[in-house]
Amino acid sequence: QVQLVESGGGLVQAGGSLRLSCAASGTTSSINAMAWYRQAPGQQRGLVARISTQGTTTYAESVKGRFTMSRDRGWNTVYLQMNSLKPEDTAVYFCNAVRFATYNSWGQGTQVTVSS
């Protein structure tokens, strides 16, 4: 299948920036889209950003204008550039890949904590 490994999380003060990376391996040629989700304690996992094979990006309203998702050709690595971070952005961020429009793969998650 597809293996996903996130990195780049950490502790940052409000207004700061972080760049998350997701390294994909396996059957990446069959990926239709990839996305970033996040989950805070006691809350449901929610979509942060999604990018299609054509490069079209979609963002949650709460992160529009602050976060930017991008990918390398061949789905080797996807990124989430997070600027102007807010305390409410604190969550575990998960990388997601969809193959054949139905099969989901998930990374282990990386913690992002925004102080102040």
Side-chain angles (χ1 to χ4, degrees), residues 84-101:
S84 301
L85 283 163
K86 305 175 181 179
E88 51 262 45
D89 295 319
T90 296
V92 177
Y93 285 71
F94 297 90
C95 183
N96 165 262
V98 179
R99 298 192 301 122
F100 302 112

Side-chain angles (χ1 to χ4, degrees), residues 22 24 28-29 31 34 51-55 70-79:
C22 175
T28 58
S29 61
I31 293 176
M34 293 188 69
I51 188 166
S52 70
T53 301
Q54 297 179 344
S70 61
R71 66 174 176 88
D72 291 344
R73 294 180 180 178
W75 301 103
N76 297 121
T77 310
V78 296
Y79 307 92

Side-chain angles (χ1 to χ4, degrees), residues 11-24:
L11 175 64
V12 64
Q13 66 181 22
S17 299
L18 284 174
R19 180 180 172 87
L20 304 183
S21 298
C22 175

